[in-house]
């Protein structure tokens, strides 16, 4: 099946908002085995939208529209779809009832405008909106399908997951299952290269690699007659991926490193504290973003100055004088000092040169030391990122530190 | 002038990358007074690209393509443009020379593929690429213009700024000047409402509001016969904007709050420390992202547990017992304790309930206390965000705290 995505909204053409709907939908459609041939963005202009829809339907059997389903005068997507698909809008009592209740629950007045959001094409299958007032729908006409979704991602994504995807899958009488594997320590190009034996000539399951800042993920998807077969196929492929790149994998459940580490700390009741210099609080901030972390996250210290390192962590003046703030010796004294001060079972220290300034020939930008302790086990790691971007270095160091914590926890003998 | 932006690249249709080029170009074109009517994304397919270019050129005089200018077999944008615009590719000696030197400087071998990047349409004006190997160009034919730019933002953005924009402005014999005003404490809708007298019926300068997480910006742009006139027109408009919303403005130079505060701290030699609970290190992380901040940023402490608050900051056990960790009393003791410990002139404390859990009827999610000290001046602020999103609450609190620090510094008597 070939698909085009049409985003409706003048704010997109002003560069006001980024079209993340097209990204989300493209990823979802691809793993469902549907080819996306075009993305279009058009303004709140009925004639241009009609032209675009007709053009899209030349090459594609499925067109998904996003946006233009709000209550204002500018919102005309449904009207234009009806015009192009030869249908008429009628009031849908089910949708009207849901919209009325939406406002009642929030004790806010409903405006006349919102009534028009209950108008649906007479031949459409309606998709409920559980996160807003605009329902979506699927409409078929002469072998062409148009799916209409609301614009805001927090409304579109759940509606796609809950209604549009099942509707599409049902028509294909197949079941879809997919998992996302997260890796650290290997770039996306290298990951793709190592997995080439599995990627080349793939049929089902499909494998696709994606890059994130400093990390790489692999999505494995299978479409089979039953969910059990699809799941089984995916799990077999995951085992094969482990054979090639197992040492880099930290999650097969689409979790981030902070999530993985946070959950392990909570479930094993391991307290954690951090002493950061160049990452400036990013590690503490990432860990404290995890709901429930207050059960185990004890303290974070940002010892940006030498005075703070000595005062807070007991780093010796002689050590700083002899080896400098950015040294394995200082990283070790920082992490041991943190352990002595807090008693936390997991302790992390970071000292380094994030850039763009501050580098010298002996200690260049991108040189960072990370100290990790779990109970009595202590190691200091040296990073040489060869990267001068401050943000990149700080983010990568944060991930690296958490990756080592994850390893230490996994290697813990009970 | 009416414009369409065509992004070329199958990776965009896989949802591999987000089309930020279209966002950047749309913002730039809009403030140049050029209307963007369409965004298209098409894969590395010559026939579909040709169809899209022809369709775009029906309604638009200017088409800007992004991507498909790399050295691989899939990169066919230039060939297709030539086909549609009735021109031929010829080797451009200037570009070839630059490409050869690019590889020499990096001491890396050039591959045969890279030679094809020096092929340019014979009638094109070539745009140098100072951040990669693919030059861009502008090509005119029968009243239609196609500008071809490389895909990666770090190559496209500078090339647009250095070459494409001046080339376009030169044809319009006008000069462009714009400034971006940053505000805090007023949402984008309200900002737009308050500025309606200036926004409605605007001609030149133009005003456009944009929302960022928790903040709002206004971009003011003017196109006049000379740069001085354009600048003068923009500055007059900025003064008018101050009349309406001056109390919310923290920068007229497109700077973020951490940048504004960081620069003031550095130039006035004001030391700063932070004591954070629910923001978990985000304020320290934001401040330490500013290059040069080590001159003034002393220490950051993340006192996530009550024990850490007492141990690090001297918060009294009785205070915690009587008023709780999330209280104005605790926020005050935290900031005063931080001042006593560090001696930093600027001290900030944060204690609150970021959510989604942890709320009670008396102390709901979104209740946050922020303590700010500058020398002897101390205030505790109470926030009730009425928002249950953890990330949103943490980010907003970070901005709020820095906004108050900015105020305190501005109100400092010398």
């Amino acid at each position: 099946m070939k698909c085009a995505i049409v985003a409706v909204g003048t704010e997109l053409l002003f560069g006001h908002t980024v079209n993340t709907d097209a990204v989300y939908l493209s990823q979802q459609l691809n793993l469902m085995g549907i080819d996306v041939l075009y993305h279009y963005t058009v303004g709140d202009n009925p004639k241009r939208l009609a032209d675009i829809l007709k053009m899209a339907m030349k090459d594609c059997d499925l067109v998904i529209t996003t946006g233009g389903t709000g209550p204002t005068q500018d919102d005309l997507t449904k009207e234009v779809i009806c015009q192009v698909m030869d249908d008429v809008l009628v009031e849908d009592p089910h949708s009207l009832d849901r919209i009325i209740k939406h406002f009642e629950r929030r004790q806010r007045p409903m405006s006349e405008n919102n009534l028009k959001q209950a108008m649906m094409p007479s031949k459409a299958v309606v998709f409920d909106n559980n996160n807003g007032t605009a329902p979506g729908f699927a409409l078929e006409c002469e072998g062409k399908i148009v799916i209409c979704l609301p614009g805001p991602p927090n409304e579109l994504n759940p509606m796609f997951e809950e209604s549009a995807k099942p509707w599409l899958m049902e028509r294909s009488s197949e079941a879809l299952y997919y998992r996302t594997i997260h890796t650290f320590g290997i770039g996306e190009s290298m990951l793709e290269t190592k997995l080439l034996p599995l990627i080349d000539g793939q049929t089902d399951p499909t494998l696709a690699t994606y890059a994130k800042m400093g990390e790489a993920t692999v999505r494995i998807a299978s479409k089979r007659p039953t969910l059990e077969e699809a799941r089984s196929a995916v799990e077999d492929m995951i085992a094969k991926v482990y054979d090639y790149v197992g040492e880099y994998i930290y999650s097969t459940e689409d979790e981030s490193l902070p999530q993985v580490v946070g959950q392990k700390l909570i479930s094993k009741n391991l307290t954690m504290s951090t002493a950061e210099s160049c990452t400036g609080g990013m590690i503490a901030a990432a860990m404290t973003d995890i709901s429930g972390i207050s059960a185990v996250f004890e303290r974070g210290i940002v010892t940006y100055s030498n005075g703070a390192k000595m005062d807070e962590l007991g780093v010796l003046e002689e050590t700083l004088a002899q080896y400098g703030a950015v040294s394995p010796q200082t990283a070790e004294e920082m992490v041991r000092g943190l352990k002595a001060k807090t008693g936390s079972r997991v302790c992390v220290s970071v000292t380094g040169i994030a850039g763009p300034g501050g580098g010298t020939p002996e200690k260049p930008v991108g040189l960072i030391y990370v100290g990790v302790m779990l109970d009595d086990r202590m190691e200091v790691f040296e990073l040489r990122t060869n990267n001068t971007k401050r943000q990149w270095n700080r983010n990568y160091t944060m991930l690296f530190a958490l990756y080592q914590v994850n390893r230490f926890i996994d290697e813990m003998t009970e």
Side-chain angles (χ1 to χ4, degrees), chain A:
Chain A
M1 189 182 258
K2 296 183 183 350
C3 174
I5 298 169
V6 178
V8 183
T10 308
E11 73 280 5
L12 289 161
L13 297 176
F14 276 124
H16 238 114
T17 28
V18 182
N19 188 4
T20 53
D21 287 340
V23 179
Y24 169 80
L25 288 172
S26 295
Q27 291 185 3
Q28 291 290 318
L29 292 160
N30 265 281
L31 57 87
M32 292 165 70
I34 295 173
D35 291 323
V36 179
L37 296 191
Y38 301 100
H39 294 167
Y40 297 93
T41 302
V42 62
D44 301 306
N45 179 294
K47 181 182 183 310
R48 288 200 278 271
L49 175 55
D51 289 343
I52 288 288
L53 286 176
K54 289 175 201 160
M55 165 133 185
M57 285 198 263
K58 280 194 199 144
D59 282 2
C60 303
D61 325 302
L62 170 65
V63 176
I64 301 184
T65 69
T66 72
T69 59
T72 76
Q73 281 185 349
D74 293 334
D75 294 291
L76 293 164
T77 305
K78 293 186 297 187
E79 285 82 349
V80 176
I81 291 175
C82 277
Q83 178 199 328
V84 171
M85 298 284 275
D86 200 32
D87 196 353
V88 290
L89 289 179
V90 298
E91 189 179 275
D92 174 42
H94 166 79
S95 295
L96 180 59
D97 185 58
R98 283 178 57 87
I99 290 171
I100 290 172
K101 290 204 163 72
H102 175 98
F103 285 94
E104 280 177 1
R105 270 198 309 273
R106 283 159 183 68
Q107 292 173 329
R108 275 167 52 195
M110 184 170 100
S111 83
E112 279 268 338
N113 289 354
N114 290 108
L115 290 174
K116 91 165 192 160
Q117 296 187 294
M119 304 292 284
M120 286 281 118
S122 72
K123 302 176 207 148
V125 170
V126 174
F127 298 153
D128 287 340
N129 187 337
N130 294 313
N131 300 88
T133 49
F137 62 82
L139 184 59
E140 288 188 77
C141 181
E142 292 168 15
K144 302 289 180 180
I145 300 168
V146 173
I147 287 179
C148 173
L149 300 173
N154 68 299
E155 297 181 33
L156 180 147
N157 296 16
M159 187 184 290
F160 186 82
E161 191 64 35
E162 292 159 14
S163 304
K165 185 153 91 174
W167 186 87
L168 282 167
M169 290 306 301
E170 200 178 305
R171 297 167 54 72
S172 80
S173 66
E174 280 179 310
L176 176 71
Y177 182 83
Y178 67 93
R179 294 264 286 282
T180 306
I181 295 175
H182 283 232
T183 72
F184 179 79
I186 181 174
E188 196 217 342
S189 315
M190 183 58 69
L191 180 65
E192 193 182 47
T193 302
K194 281 186 183 274
L195 294 179
L196 222 46
L198 301 175
I199 290 175
D200 265 356
Q202 60 178 279
T203 46
D204 181 291
T206 54
L207 290 93
T209 57
Y210 295 86
K212 289 181 63 167
M213 172 126 88
E215 309 185 74
T217 63
V218 190
R219 182 169 297 169
I220 300 169
S222 174
K223 210 158 80 164
R224 297 288 171 102
T226 68
L227 186 60
E228 293 70 38
E229 281 170 79
R231 185 189 349 247
S232 185
V234 168
E235 283 170 356
D236 287 348
M237 182 61 79
I238 290 178
K240 289 185 188 157
V241 170
Y242 259 98
D243 287 340
Y244 286 97
V245 294
E247 66 202 271
Y248 302 104
I249 296 176
Y250 69 80
S251 169
T252 62
E253 308 284 350
D254 202 18
E255 300 150 309
S256 68
L257 256 171
Q259 279 174 313
V260 168
V261 173
Q263 279 151 26
K264 282 180 184 166
L265 294 174
I266 291 169
S267 67
K268 295 177 189 290
N269 208 23
L270 291 167
T271 48
M272 177 173 179
S273 290
T274 56
E276 306 178 56
S277 196
C278 67
T279 41
M282 285 176 78
I283 303 177
M287 293 311 300
T288 55
D289 196 39
I290 309 299
S291 199
I293 203 68
S294 55
V296 288
F297 191 85
E298 227 282 309
R299 199 173 318 189
I301 310 177
V302 178
T303 48
Y304 219 67
S305 64
N306 280 0
K309 290 180 179 70
M310 293 189 286
D311 196 40
E312 291 283 348
L313 303 168
V315 173
L316 298 172
E317 198 167 0
E318 301 84 69
T319 306
L320 290 165
Q322 185 174 357
Y323 302 107
V326 179
S327 63
Q329 292 83 357
T330 296
E332 177 167 351
E333 287 189 18
M334 284 172 70
V335 78
R336 290 195 185 283
L338 183 67
K339 166 78 72 171
K341 180 191 188 74
T342 64
S344 294
R345 290 183 65 187
V346 174
C347 288
V348 171
S349 70
V350 174
T351 176
I353 305 163
T360 62
E362 302 91 27
K363 296 193 184 186
V365 168
L367 175 66
I368 298 148
Y369 292 95
V370 177
V372 182
M373 277 189 88
L374 169 53
D375 295 331
D376 295 327
R377 177 180 180 184
M378 198 285 303
E379 275 179 64
V380 172
F381 302 89
E382 177 181 290
L383 293 178
R384 286 182 181 267
T385 68
N386 293 320
N387 193 313
T388 54
K389 295 212 179 75
R390 192 183 185 85
Q391 263 287 44
W392 196 95
N393 282 330
R394 282 160 41 109
N395 187 71
Y396 185 80
T397 301
M398 186 261 289
L399 296 173
F400 180 88
L402 293 180
Y403 184 72
Q404 297 304 333
V405 169
N406 190 42
R407 252 192 64 221
F408 275 38
I409 296 175
D410 285 347
E411 292 171 9
M412 221 168 48
T413 50
E414 295 303 357

